[in-house]
Amino acid sequence: MRKQSLWYWLFLFPVLIALTVVVIIPFIFGLYYSFTNWNGIQSTEFVGFKHYIKLFQDGEFLHSIWFTTKFAIASVFFINFFGLILALIVTQKLKTSKIMRTIFFMPNLIGGLILGFIWQFIFIKVFAGIGDLLHVEGFRGWLSTTETGFWGLVILMSWQMAGYIMVIYIAYLENIPQELLEAAEIDGANSFQRFRHITFPLVAPAFTVSMFLTLSNSFKLYDQNLSLTGGGPYDSTQMVAMNIFKTAFSENQMAYAQSKAVIFFLIVTVISLTQVYFNKKREVEM
Amino acid sequence: MKTKKFLLTMLSLFLLLSTVLFGCSSSSTSESKGSEKQVTLDIFQFKVEFKDQFEQVAKQYENQNPGVKINITTVGGGEDYGVALKSKFASGEEPAIFNVGGPQDVADWEAKLADLSDTKAAAQALEGTLDGVKKNGQILGLPYNQEGYGLIYNKKIFAKAGINPENIKTYSDLENAVKKLEANKSSLGIDAVFAFPAKETWVTGLHLSNVFLAPEFNSNVVNAFNAKTVEFKYGNAMKKLVDLQNKYSVQPTVSLDYSKQVEELFSTGKVAMIQQGNWVYNSIADIDPELAEKNIGLLPIPVEGFKEDSIPVGVPMYWAVNKNKDQKVVAEAKKFLDWLYTSDEGKDIVLNKFKFIPAYKGYDSSKISDPLSKEIYNYAQNGKTIGWVFMGYPTGWGMDKLGVNIQKYVSNKMTWDQLIADSKKAWEEARNK
């Protein structure tokens, strides 16, 4: 047992060091700085909870939290919806399913910044072109209003993440025992009933993983936000990560931005843990 | 058995650590050996437009001065230079020469800035160009060059519409010209009169607002920097110009960016006028050399009730030297800047290679090569200028507050009065911190 624990710690050692140096120590520093008047170069004064009181009156920050929450809800729904649909399609024993898996996964290999610029082109130029051709007003002026900016981000995010989430669903779908489905079929269950009562409960563990991934990814989104809308128009599509970055680096209020980041951390942690707890409860063990 | 395993563990731990540690130490020794023989100037600068030319010039200087090595890093254009500079300093690799923009930057970076008043370049700098970097009798920066902006127009389109740009002296002249262009849009083959890039908050929040705020601060950036409040005395004149540009622009303006404005619309003749400066010359020349060479001109941005025939001219950025560097490096940095701006060879480079409008005395101004710069130089010579005060705005106020409010205004999410009130309040809050 002692030998085992030695090896255990030995293999854990590099990861622990890395985690301490790049996550835990900076986190503690950040927490400390959020209570001071740190300006990025030095801190001279301990200001207590001043920044935390201020940020709850900061309309722009509260707006960005609200916008991020709306975005997270919409994108979690769409990513999982499309991810599951794609997974169901490619597990249907079609000849093209291998190549389709690759294609669906591909958007995930492109970096967020580049994707943002590509979609910016699509939304602004291609959509406007379609709008002019078909005389449909709804295709014009994308990304120039808050609503189109919001849906632009959701579409981009779903397009990118759905393929990734699909892979997780595939793994669970392929593990479903065929006997169960066959038995149900013999008992006269139609395909919807089979999906609803057998497939769906058995993929539930996948929901836990996928929802955790999509939820935390949507909350922490930065690069797609930066390159697609840049927060515009008038900062209305600015998400929390971007708001924090802007406070820190373009307004030069490092300590205040730190306190925002701490609150952001708490929000993401609470939401993610609650979600994992509830989903775990629902899972069915085979 | 147990001890053997333990030894093995320790050995592997040791190996792991040693690769990490020795990896670092070996690289640092080689670096220190090199610096004994030669001086390395790390330059961190923002001007993307002249990156290639500047690198060539650095090579030239290296050849003439054996023992000097110049490394140039350029971050700018769409990137945020200020952010990059902060992280550069935070990483410990402090550059020897970097850029500061004005009083706010000087206040932020004061602990790092060397006094440059003993350089030849500082003595040669044109009057007023050093205002923003003077502090306690020290000169903490040297101007890059001068730049100016206004309403750049397409001469061909104006001629076709029968408008003589020389007759545009006031706001109402401009408005009439715009209306005439708008009425003849289809026969002139243009999409709209203007391309107003409200997405680029520096165009609206910094450049446009500067014209209307400069009279309040007597055109002096230091006055703006010290001002506790902002009045928007010429707010109505500003509203007129925002309205004019926005109404007669290609829509939607909130998602119209710099490259669309300059490259896609103006350079291809799809709009008649854009609010930009001499820096767009190269972009236009890349797309349509003939247009850039012969058919563009510059109109002033009229401020009703103040000056209606002047253009804003100022220094975009200053060179600063890091005083925490080795004395040898600091001396070499000053020598390099002096060479660049005051030697005959340097002057030639500044005019012909960089195509700058010089901010120093002793230049042959007839050699300024591009038409926009020449026009700006003429305005400056006739005293028809408005100073640049936007470098004295509170940090982030111009772009993140005023520019964003202008976006709200053109999207009908805010009235002009709200815009003024909100921007005033933000200025005061920033100043009373």
Side-chain angles (χ1 to χ4, degrees):
Chain A
M1 190 60 211
R2 271 187 70 195
K3 248 187 275 170
Q4 198 186 1
S5 80
L6 180 67
W7 281 109
Y8 175 77
W9 287 108
L10 177 69
F11 280 113
L12 215 55
F13 178 74
V15 180
L16 276 183
I17 288 286
L19 200 69
T20 316
V21 171
V22 305
V23 177
I24 296 173
I25 294 178
F27 181 76
I28 294 167
F29 267 104
L31 203 59
Y32 165 72
Y33 280 137
S34 71
F35 292 104
T36 67
N37 67 344
W38 188 50
N39 64 356
I41 302 163
Q42 56 185 2
S43 59
T44 52
E45 206 184 315
F46 199 76
V47 298
F49 281 93
K50 195 179 124 195
H51 294 310
Y52 289 93
I53 296 164
K54 186 175 153 199
L55 68 84
F56 283 108
Q57 296 152 354
D58 184 339
E60 214 176 290
F61 180 61
L62 297 179
H63 174 85
S64 72
I65 290 185
W66 175 229
F67 183 81
T68 312
T69 312
K70 280 195 292 184
F71 169 77
I73 294 169
S75 58
V76 164
F77 174 76
F78 283 108
I79 293 169
N80 284 287
F81 180 72
F82 287 116
L84 186 58
I85 288 189
L86 292 181
L88 287 171
I89 294 173
V90 298
T91 46
Q92 292 302 312
K93 300 197 174 53
L94 299 170
K95 265 187 190 159
T96 50
S97 73
K98 283 253 162 56
I99 184 91
M100 265 161 41
R101 284 182 200 195
T102 318
I103 292 170
F104 292 147
F105 187 73
M106 246 187 242
N108 204 57
L109 302 174
I110 312 173
L113 275 177
I114 298 168
L115 269 189
F117 287 121
I118 295 172
W119 276 94
Q120 191 184 52
F121 172 79
I122 296 176
F123 286 133
I124 294 179
K125 300 276 157 63
V126 179
F127 271 40
I130 296 172
D132 286 342
L133 208 68
L134 305 174
H135 301 285
V136 182
E137 210 40 56
F139 278 110
R140 289 197 196 121
W142 267 66
L143 304 187
S144 68
T145 60
T146 314
E147 292 72 41
T148 51
F150 174 79
W151 287 110
L153 281 166
V154 172
I155 292 171
L156 162 61
M157 189 70 180
S158 313
W159 187 75
Q160 185 186 13
M161 283 280 293
Y164 185 73
I165 295 305
M166 171 194 79
V167 175
I168 297 172
Y169 284 129
I170 290 174
Y172 282 87
L173 282 173
E174 294 198 325
N175 273 334
I176 294 176
Q178 287 300 311
E179 308 91 83
L180 282 180
L181 291 169
E182 272 167 30
E185 204 176 351
I186 293 166
D187 286 345
N190 65 28
S191 59
F192 176 74
Q193 282 168 328
R194 284 196 310 261
F195 176 75
R196 171 71 189 82
H197 295 288
I198 297 174
T199 312
F200 198 75
L202 286 176
V203 237
F207 280 112
T208 314
V209 181
S210 317
M211 275 182 72
F212 177 76
L213 279 176
T214 47
L215 196 67
S216 62
N217 268 348
S218 313
F219 260 96
K220 295 185 302 187
L221 193 72
Y222 177 74
D223 38 2
Q224 287 89 337
N225 189 203
L226 180 77
S227 58
L228 188 71
T229 66
Y234 46 87
D235 287 350
S236 59
T237 62
Q238 180 176 279
M239 290 195 209
V240 185
M242 208 172 145
N243 182 279
I244 292 171
F245 183 85
K246 225 178 73 180
T247 314
F249 291 101
S250 58
E251 288 162 23
N252 215 4
Q253 307 185 56
M254 293 282 182
Y256 182 43
Q258 253 323 324
S259 66
K260 285 182 176 180
V262 170
I263 292 295
F264 182 40
F265 168 78
L266 289 178
I267 295 174
V268 175
T269 314
V270 168
I271 292 177
S272 306
L273 291 182
T274 327
Q275 178 263 326
V276 169
Y277 173 76
F278 279 108
N279 273 0
K280 275 268 179 212
K281 261 171 77 173
R282 264 200 18 244
E283 276 171 24
V284 188
E285 288 292 332
M286 286 246 297
Chain B
M1 188 63 201
K2 214 167 160 187
T3 42
K4 206 177 164 193
K5 275 240 167 101
F6 183 74
L7 276 175
L8 206 72
T9 315
M10 282 293 122
L11 188 72
S12 45
L13 255 181
F14 175 75
L15 280 175
L16 188 91
L17 277 173
S18 57
T19 36
V20 174
L21 294 175
F22 286 119
C24 298
S25 58
S26 62
S27 67
S28 58
T29 43
S30 67
E31 210 172 86
S32 59
K33 259 182 205 161
S35 65
E36 277 164 30
K37 281 182 204 152
Q38 61 176 8
V39 183
T40 307
L41 285 183
D42 290 309
I43 300 180
F44 195 73
Q45 67 100 23
F46 91 109
K47 210 169 182 52
V48 182
E49 301 94 292
F50 86 138
K51 177 177 167 279
D52 296 338
Q53 292 92 324
F54 191 49
E55 275 162 8
Q56 279 173 23
V57 170
K59 281 254 159 58
Q60 200 174 327
Y61 188 78
E62 277 176 358
N63 291 339
Q64 290 172 14
N65 298 272
V68 179
K69 171 110 187 61
I70 300 180
N71 296 324
I72 297 171
T73 314
T74 305
V75 174
E79 303 304 313
D80 195 328
Y81 176 75
V83 174
L85 185 65
K86 269 177 215 153
S87 37
K88 188 85 184 164
F89 269 91
S91 76
E93 288 177 40
E94 302 193 1
I97 298 179
F98 58 100
N99 302 149
V100 290
Q104 183 62 54
D105 277 356
V106 170
D108 288 349
W109 292 104
E110 208 182 345
K112 306 275 182 196
L113 301 175
D115 183 13
L116 302 174
S117 42
D118 58 342
T119 55
K120 274 186 250 163
Q124 298 281 314
L126 290 176
E127 214 189 305
T129 53
L130 292 174
D131 284 348
V133 286
K134 273 186 189 159
K135 198 162 188 186
N136 307 328
Q138 292 185 317
I139 293 169
L140 300 171
L142 293 171
Y144 254 82
N145 63 337
Q146 295 197 87
E147 288 189 336
Y149 60 89
L151 299 170
I152 298 175
Y153 65 93
N154 186 323
K155 285 182 180 168
K156 247 187 190 162
I157 297 175
F158 269 52
K160 223 171 160 187
I163 299 167
N164 183 355
E166 274 166 32
N167 293 337
I168 301 178
K169 302 269 184 221
T170 63
Y171 174 78
S172 46
D173 293 342
L174 178 70
E175 198 180 357
N176 289 335
V178 169
K179 282 187 177 150
K180 198 166 176 188
L181 287 164
E182 173 75 16
N184 298 315
K185 245 175 20 180
S186 53
S187 67
L188 295 171
I190 54 175
D191 291 350
V193 182
F194 286 105
F196 183 54
K199 186 180 182 186
E200 306 288 357
T201 49
W202 56 275
V203 176
T204 54
L206 296 181
H207 287 171
L208 185 60
S209 71
N210 172 72
V211 188
F212 301 93
L213 294 181
E216 250 180 82
F217 303 117
N218 213 1
S219 282
N220 189 330
V221 63
V222 181
N223 291 346
F225 181 61
N226 292 328
K228 291 272 176 240
T229 56
V230 61
E231 296 300 319
F232 280 99
K233 221 163 128 190
Y234 294 92
N236 280 333
M238 182 170 162
K239 177 178 188 294
K240 280 187 178 173
L241 225 84
V242 171
D243 286 345
L244 187 76
Q245 288 202 58
N246 186 52
K247 188 176 166 196
Y248 297 106
S249 165
V250 172
Q251 303 292 339
T253 51
V254 274
S255 59
L256 212 158
D257 62 11
Y258 175 80
S259 96
K260 190 169 183 193
Q261 178 200 27
V262 177
E263 287 157 8
E264 215 181 305
L265 293 170
F266 186 76
S267 301
T268 54
K270 283 185 184 149
V271 294
M273 259 190 278
I274 53 171
Q275 181 208 312
Q276 275 303 348
N278 56 299
W279 51 85
V280 302
Y281 172 79
N282 285 330
S283 307
I284 300 175
D286 282 346
I287 292 168
D288 188 347
E290 199 197 323
L291 174 71
E293 209 50 63
K294 293 183 198 137
N295 288 322
I296 47 177
L298 195 68
L299 284 173
I301 302 175
V303 183
E304 263 192 322
F306 182 60
K307 289 178 179 174
E308 302 194 43
D309 59 351
S310 299
I311 61 156
V313 176
V315 176
M317 271 292 202
Y318 294 87
W319 295 107
V321 174
N322 184 349
K323 74 172 168 197
N324 296 348
K325 282 277 179 184
D326 194 65
Q327 274 313 307
K328 258 197 268 173
V329 177
V330 172
E332 192 59 45
K334 288 180 179 175
K335 206 179 129 207
F336 172 68
L337 291 173
D338 269 347
W339 173 81
L340 185 61
Y341 285 108
T342 59
S343 73
D344 287 336
E345 207 182 346
K347 282 177 185 172
D348 182 58
I349 290 166
V350 167
L351 279 180
N352 297 322
K353 273 204 173 142
F354 295 171
K355 302 193 192 301
F356 276 177
I357 310 172
Y360 299 90
K361 285 178 220 157
Y363 280 82
D364 182 359
S365 56
S366 68
K367 281 195 184 142
I368 298 175
S369 47
D370 78 81
L372 288 175
S373 300
K374 226 175 229 164
E375 234 175 297
I376 289 163
Y377 195 80
N378 288 338
Y379 274 104
Q381 266 190 330
N382 296 329
K384 296 201 167 178
T385 59
I386 294 175
W388 282 18
V389 297
F390 60 80
M391 287 295 188
Y393 293 173
T395 312
W397 181 82
M399 283 171 73
D400 297 335
K401 203 72 216 183
L402 184 57
V404 166
N405 280 348
I406 291 175
Q407 289 182 344
K408 284 185 191 165
Y409 171 69
V410 299
S411 311
N412 294 322
K413 299 276 175 193
M414 197 180 222
T415 67
W416 187 260
D417 291 337
Q418 282 169 339
L419 179 151
I420 300 275
D422 188 67
S423 308
K424 271 186 187 173
K425 207 178 109 210
W427 180 297
E428 282 158 31
E429 273 171 12
R431 283 290 190 246
N432 290 322
K433 236 183 246 145

